[in-house]
Amino acid sequence: MKVLLILGHPRVESLCGALADAYSEGARAAGVDLRRLDLAELDFDPHVHTLSPNQQPLEADLSRARELVEWAEHLVFVYPTWWGGTPALFKGFLDRVMLPGFAFTTCESGIGYEGLLKGRSAQLITTMDTPPLIHKLLYRQPGRNALAKATLGFCGIRPVRYLACGSVKDSTARQRQAWLARAKFQGRQLQRGRISPFEWLQHKAGAWLKALRLQFYPMTWVAYAIGALAASPPGDLFTTGLFWLGYLCLFLLEVATVLTNDVIDLPSDRQNRFYSTFTGGSRVLVDGLLSQREVKAGIFVSLLGFAAASAWLVNLAPGAAGSITLVLVVLAILALGYTAAPLKLSYRGLGELDVAVTHSIGVLLSGYVIFGGDWYAAFPWLLSLPLLLAIVPAITLSGIPDLEADAAVAKRTLAVRLGRRGALEVALGFTLASAGVALIWHLLGIAEGAYGGIAYVVVPHAALLAFCLYRQRGKVELAERGNISSRIDGLMGVSLSYVLWFGLFPLFQLLGH
């Protein structure tokens, strides 16, 4: 293992210097290849004098430091916490070394920046006069957050361990010896690897949470709850095990679906320059957070759980077993068929319709038949129609950022087939259609008044969304010429929030009956 230790104290002969010595001793005993930089002994100007730090030539010592940062697999920073942060010397070192093009780069995806120092981990060892617990609870650890998250994490370095030693001013010789022993122990721990078992577990848990894409699940729950309420009086519905068992089936099916999409859409996701929270997949395979084998195992486990939970549900539910089975089987075929063979609906130009159907009538009808309703009854279909129409604009717009990547792998989304302008026109048409249907349902009391009052918020929101879509049309030509980004985060936010009304209004109306 290649380890670089950087002492950020302006005095080498200090407690921080002793902690650096202790860590180095432990690390070398662990058999690692350790190199050390004492910033106090480097010859460099800590101030950035040029408009861009890249315009200021690096001194010889900083060039060597940069080479060592690039060489290292594990970075160790030992420094005092002064005024809640790092010393000026240490901060100046970071300003001069962690430069654009070396430590990070701008991009058109994610948050707009990408760390270039991925694959490295770090250890922070700091001294302070404030007791560490007070520093954590009262001041919220500003120095740690700035260095671990806003600097190292921003550059792709993670995990970042943290060891705080304090209060120094009130410490005894025995306490200082204990800190030195802890620093040495931290270095010695490297014989077990850069990543501890707990850190590995945290990493995997975080990767799986990212893979699940939980931001899409609330609307599924809402539509399912609407269906269940439509077939059964509210009462204690949400406290019954049957309700949550039914939702467990849908949850596991959605897990299997998003994981399947990640595996099959991997060639497109790798080329996607404009991904965001709601477009471009979870990125766990692209970023190497999970392997294909792990994700495929997740698909298998979730489908197995879906089948087991569905069998249990059919035996417990008051609805007809045949109806429940039929609805769940059709829903599973359509959900998985979004990307999976043989249907591959998103590759045939039917993906948007598929998502709209599964996330409206599909999950709503599941709740309805589980609690005794008939799948062929008009009520659930009328109840779901406005929601179905409202989903189409958002799912159509989500294809615009992905257009180039999807076209490269022959994924025939509406944005690929119709172009950006055509996708915007489809979104506009369905926005107006959903608002019109919502208004009719509101005025005529269709679906037993479940959409009563919705027109008061949907019509203004639809007008706002239509205005945003019209304005976006003016940017299409520039986007196609490559003069502006294909990201449409603001427009996506307006369209996704528009869908919420079509779930929340019927949900609360049915709860009030």
Side-chain angles (χ1 to χ4, degrees), residues 4-298:
L4 174 63
L5 187 148
I6 298 175
L7 175 60
H9 201 296
R11 299 188 307 276
V12 176
E13 298 299 325
S14 59
L15 177 57
C16 281
L19 289 168
D21 292 338
Y23 187 94
S24 299
E25 182 181 349
R28 290 193 172 102
V32 305
D33 182 1
L34 184 139
R35 302 182 190 181
R36 175 168 166 172
L37 286 174
D38 294 341
L39 299 188
E41 297 180 353
L42 302 188
D43 182 17
F44 72 97
D45 185 350
H47 305 295
V48 177
H49 299 283
T50 57
L51 183 63
S52 167
N54 278 335
Q55 296 172 338
Q56 188 167 331
L58 293 179
E59 294 86 347
D61 283 350
L62 287 190
S63 293
R64 176 172 170 270
R66 179 165 159 166
E67 291 172 359
L68 287 175
V69 170
E70 200 166 18
W71 164 84
E73 298 171 292
H74 187 63
L75 301 169
V76 183
F77 299 92
V78 185
Y79 61 96
T81 293
W82 290 347
W83 293 110
T86 61
L89 177 67
F90 188 12
K91 180 63 167 60
F93 172 80
L94 294 174
D95 290 344
R96 294 293 314 282
V97 172
M98 307 298 262
L99 302 180
F102 168 70
F104 68 94
T105 187
T106 57
C107 62
E108 295 177 285
S109 54
I111 62 170
Y113 295 92
E114 181 180 2
L116 298 178
L117 298 179
K118 296 176 182 177
R120 294 168 177 81
S121 52
Q123 167 79 63
L124 307 181
I125 301 177
T126 187
T127 59
M128 59 182 67
D129 282 337
T130 303
L133 185 60
I134 298 298
H135 186 68
K136 179 178 182 179
L137 298 179
L138 183 60
Y139 298 114
R140 311 298 295 175
Q141 299 178 308
R144 174 188 180 178
N145 292 332
L147 187 54
K149 297 178 181 178
T151 303
L152 302 179
F154 180 80
C155 296
I157 300 172
R158 56 178 63 89
V160 180
R161 299 173 187 166
Y162 182 72
L163 173 61
C165 303
S167 161
V168 173
K169 66 178 181 179
D170 298 323
S171 64
T172 63
R174 183 174 182 179
Q175 286 175 314
R176 291 192 290 274
Q177 285 299 320
W179 294 334
L180 294 173
R182 288 181 66 188
K184 182 178 179 180
F185 176 77
Q186 290 291 331
R188 190 63 183 262
Q189 286 291 95
L190 292 178
Q191 67 185 354
R192 299 184 178 181
R194 294 186 300 117
I195 311 299
S196 70
F198 180 70
E199 289 167 338
W200 180 88
L201 186 61
Q202 280 185 312
H203 164 78
K204 287 298 180 184
W208 278 110
L209 282 175
K210 186 177 181 181
L212 294 180
R213 308 191 79 189
L214 296 177
Q215 63 268 31
F216 293 117
Y217 294 63
M219 278 306 297
T220 301
W221 183 90
V222 169
Y224 166 70
I226 291 171
L229 287 168
S232 174
D236 56 353
L237 176 68
F238 297 128
T239 62
T240 62
L242 179 63
F243 176 84
W244 293 105
L245 178 60
Y247 179 64
L248 176 63
C249 294
L250 300 179
F251 179 87
L252 292 171
L253 179 58
E254 192 155 13
V255 170
T257 300
V258 297
L259 295 180
T260 300
N261 294 346
D262 262 5
V263 172
I264 297 176
D265 284 343
L266 180 57
S268 173
D269 293 342
R270 281 177 173 155
Q271 301 182 58
N272 197 325
R273 298 186 297 121
F274 304 110
Y275 65 84
S276 65
T277 303
F278 293 99
T279 63
S282 72
R283 313 291 296 175
V284 294
L285 291 175
V286 177
D287 295 336
L289 302 178
L290 294 173
S291 67
Q292 286 203 50
R293 182 176 180 180
E294 288 173 319
V295 174
K296 288 177 180 178

